[in-house]
Amino acid sequence: MRYVVAGLLITLGVIVGAVGILQKTLWSPDDRITAAVTLDDPGPLVVVEPGVLNLYQTPATLTVTGEGELSISQASKESIDAWVGETSHTVITGLADESTLAAEKVDGEPRAPNPAGGDLFEGQVSGEVEVTLDWDSEPARSTFLIASDGEAPAASTVRISWPNSAGTPWAVPLMIVGGVLIVLGGLLGFRDYRRGRQDRQRREARQARRRKLAETGAAFAIVPVVALAGCGGPDLPTAQPSDPPESAPPAVTESQLERIVGEISTTVAAADAETDAEALEARAAGPFLSQRQGAYEVKRADEDYTLPPAVAAESLQLNFASATDQWPRVTTAVTSDSEAGQTQLLVLSQEDPRAAYRLWDQTVLMPGAEIPEVPDARQGAPLLAPDQEGLLKTPQDTVKQYADVLQHGADSRFADSFTDDPFRQRTAEAQKRQRDALAEGNAEVEFAYSAEGNELVAQQTADGGAVVTGLINVTTTISPESVDGRTGKLSIPRPQSRVVDQSETSKKLVTRNQQVVSFTVPPGSEGQVALIGATDVITGAELE
């Protein structure tokens, strides 16, 4: 009867070894875990909530299929929600089952702008019919916006796949155990063949032992089945994003800002080449727009007139990001251009989440200008009100009082509260030269400097101070000599002569300039305000 035991061992070895082989072949799990959803009526937008791409081990792959041009945009949940607004959309929140994504439809407006190329997004991929995004970062608050053109259905299918880390750790051990059992069974059978028959008592004992082994084997076979039958399927993973921010987040990331500044620089350069004021409006606003449009008018009248400097976009030196969750919003960058030898402070503005950032002003920083340490760009710097207290001067007083210093020079009662600077020195020297030259012909010149309190931006520095940028309007009026009702004539310099289309006049010549100025303002009540940069542009001239 020992042949039975040998047979059992060999049979069990074959079964165990086969299970190990099947785990490595037919029963081997897929290399990737995939979940998908087919969308019949998704609306113009689909939103993938934060954490969904991190349900399993990354890198995850998000694949979208649909019709026409498709895009996947990535930003924080707060930014995506602001962009989506009241538009109808479908939200993908996680898994409905192991192979199906859970999707919910939110009704709303039937269309939205095409998000492709939007400034609000930190990253974006696009393509025709099918587009894929690979994700290998922490979930944080990252959310994904899927769209076509903002009117057509956003997608027909959304699929996410992850690497499958589930292995087959028992496959090799089972194959080894199976092989050992087969060998043992073979050896036992060979020994039984050589021993031959044994006496009856020993046969009966062996039969008894086999019965006990059979009972034990039956129990062994039944227990796993019962245990397996009692186990339910694995719990589905759920998205685990970071908590919502407790304070306002930074307006832009560094890579986002580099892209935006590059696009602004390209647009401005193209508008400059054609002195196209309308094209300029796509990426310009505020003082920068009014300065440039005025300069275009002068340039069209006098082709030799030099336009203001190009927007420096070669290198981003500082992302002075504002901390804000409101619109309209502004943020600041310090950039440089080695060819022009300039460092510029750029203030960008965005009217609403869907709008493009536009250049609000451009200040050429003076050589050696120092900007205090600013808050980490990952947290952002608070924006300050024009009448913000706690500074040596409020932002609006800073600009207004510096305008008074430019107009009155050392006689200004505010002169000592500002450090001396090259721009202030050049202004005083130019005014003196002009007065002296005109005095020879008994002509007079008047300078008027004014600053509007609302045309400024102030951001807090790390020490509690501020960087303040504002606009000063300058009007220079030259009056010819007038004696007994007779008026002399003025020779009109360029480019004003080309603008008014006269080389001399008996009327008053009025020239208008716009000056964008930037300052560092210390906290508290001690120290001085320092000018760090200025851009002065002639924007027009007329005869009165």
Side-chain angles (χ1 to χ4, degrees):
M1 298 297 291
R2 288 186 181 271
Y3 286 117
V4 175
V5 176
L8 286 174
L9 289 173
I10 292 172
T11 302
L12 185 58
V14 170
I15 293 172
V16 171
V19 169
I21 293 171
L22 287 171
Q23 284 195 354
K24 277 293 187 182
T25 55
L26 296 179
W27 294 349
S28 177
D30 293 335
D31 292 338
R32 298 188 69 80
I33 301 169
T34 301
V37 62
T38 299
L39 304 171
D40 296 326
D41 182 24
L45 306 172
V46 172
V47 175
V48 182
E49 289 283 86
V52 174
L53 265 65
N54 295 79
L55 289 172
Y56 296 101
Q57 178 182 343
T58 57
T61 300
L62 172 61
T63 304
V64 177
T65 56
E67 296 183 0
E69 185 75 18
L70 303 173
S71 66
I72 304 174
S73 308
Q74 178 256 322
S76 69
K77 175 174 173 55
E78 291 69 29
S79 293
I80 294 293
D81 287 349
W83 198 98
V84 171
E86 300 299 321
T87 304
S88 174
H89 62 285
T90 294
V91 183
I92 295 177
T93 57
L95 296 174
D97 56 46
E98 291 183 356
S99 61
T100 307
L101 294 170
E104 302 173 3
K105 179 71 177 294
V106 178
D107 293 329
E109 298 295 326
R111 60 182 58 85
N114 189 339
D119 284 350
L120 189 68
F121 308 118
E122 298 172 24
Q124 192 173 77
V125 293
S126 60
E128 292 279 346
V129 182
E130 181 175 288
V131 61
T132 298
L133 179 142
D134 293 320
W135 178 254
D136 194 16
S137 300
E138 294 298 317
R141 302 289 294 166
S142 294
T143 304
F144 302 86
L145 177 66
I146 299 167
S148 178
D149 60 1
E151 297 186 11
S156 57
T157 303
V158 177
R159 183 173 68 255
I160 305 175
S161 64
W162 303 265
N164 190 354
S165 59
T168 54
W170 289 103
V172 173
L174 287 173
M175 287 188 283
I176 293 173
V177 171
V180 170
L181 290 174
I182 292 172
V183 171
L184 288 175
L187 291 174
L188 185 59
F190 180 71
R191 188 183 68 174
D192 288 345
Y193 173 77
R194 295 187 62 186
R195 284 187 175 183
R197 291 184 178 183
Q198 302 295 324
D199 60 67
R200 188 171 183 176
Q201 283 123 356
R202 295 176 68 184
R203 287 199 304 271
E204 289 176 356
R206 286 196 298 270
Q207 289 173 355
R209 285 195 298 272
R210 285 198 295 271
R211 283 195 296 272
K212 292 180 70 176
L213 286 170
E215 291 173 0
T216 304
F220 178 80
I222 292 170
V223 169
V225 174
V226 173
L228 288 173
C231 294
D235 292 336
L236 295 175
T238 56
Q240 296 181 342
S242 301
D243 293 333
E246 295 181 359
S247 58
V252 290
T253 65
E254 186 168 318
S255 60
Q256 188 181 357
L257 185 59
E258 286 179 338
R259 184 186 76 243
I260 292 168
V261 171
E263 292 176 0
I264 289 175
S265 177
T266 299
T267 300
V268 172
D272 284 355
E274 302 295 331
T275 59
D276 189 340
E278 185 175 347
L280 184 68
E281 292 178 0
R283 284 292 190 174
F288 179 81
L289 177 62
S290 60
Q291 269 191 331
R292 216 77 174 189
Q293 288 181 330
Y296 285 177
E297 293 180 8
V298 177
K299 179 71 172 178
R300 284 192 287 268
D302 185 351
E303 61 181 16
D304 293 332
Y305 173 70
T306 301
L307 289 174
V311 178
E314 180 182 318
S315 176
L316 176 63
Q317 302 293 315
L318 177 65
N319 177 14
F320 192 7
S322 62
T324 180
D325 54 8
Q326 303 295 319
W327 280 271
R329 58 172 50 174
V330 296
T331 193
T332 302
V334 177
T335 62
S336 64
D337 187 323
S338 58
E339 184 176 346
Q342 288 184 346
T343 300
Q344 299 177 2
L345 187 146
L346 309 176
V347 177
L348 314 179
S349 66
Q350 187 184 37
E351 285 300 309
D352 59 67
R354 295 174 174 177
Y357 271 98
R358 296 190 291 172
L359 184 54
W360 189 84
D361 76 36
Q362 171 199 40
T363 306
V364 178
L365 297 183
M366 295 183 297
E370 295 184 0
I371 297 177
E373 183 179 351
V374 303
D376 191 317
R378 291 170 294 183
Q379 277 74 50
L383 292 168
L384 305 179
D387 58 354
Q388 180 71 43
E389 300 290 340
L391 302 169
L392 182 63
K393 296 179 184 293
T394 67
Q396 61 187 7
D397 284 347
T398 296
V399 182
K400 288 181 177 179
Q401 291 176 16
Y402 189 76
D404 188 84
V405 171
L406 292 178
Q407 181 165 340
H408 299 103
D411 294 333
S412 170
R413 61 193 178 98
F414 306 114
D416 291 339
S417 60
F418 292 86
T419 61
D420 201 8
D421 62 76
F423 183 73
R424 174 176 164 184
Q425 294 169 5
R426 289 196 300 269
T427 299
E429 292 168 359
Q431 289 176 355
K432 184 178 184 305
R433 284 196 304 270
Q434 198 164 16
R435 284 193 179 99
D436 291 345
L438 291 170
E440 294 178 2
N442 295 321
E444 296 179 350
V445 59
E446 293 181 359
F447 303 98
Y449 289 75
S450 64
E452 298 297 330
N454 60 342
E455 287 189 305
L456 62 83
V457 170
Q459 283 180 251
Q460 191 174 72
T461 53
D463 63 358
V467 172
V468 176
T469 299
L471 176 68
I472 296 175
N473 291 298
V474 184
T475 301
T476 303
T477 304
I478 301 175
S479 304
E481 179 185 17
S482 180
V483 178
D484 297 331
R486 291 176 299 174
T487 304
K489 287 193 174 183
L490 294 173
S491 295
I492 305 175
R494 291 178 63 177
Q496 292 94 322
S497 61
R498 297 297 179 88
V499 174
V500 300
D501 197 26
Q502 293 186 38
S503 59
E504 58 180 17
T505 182
S506 297
K507 297 180 179 180
K508 293 180 179 181
L509 173 64
V510 179
T511 303
R512 292 184 172 82
N513 287 52
Q514 287 188 334
Q515 299 174 342
V516 173
V517 286
S518 295
F519 308 87
T520 57
V521 183
S525 58
E526 296 182 357
Q528 290 178 296
V529 176
L531 180 79
I532 57 174
T535 302
D536 186 5
V537 177
I538 295 177
T539 57
E542 61 185 1
L543 299 176
E544 291 184 351

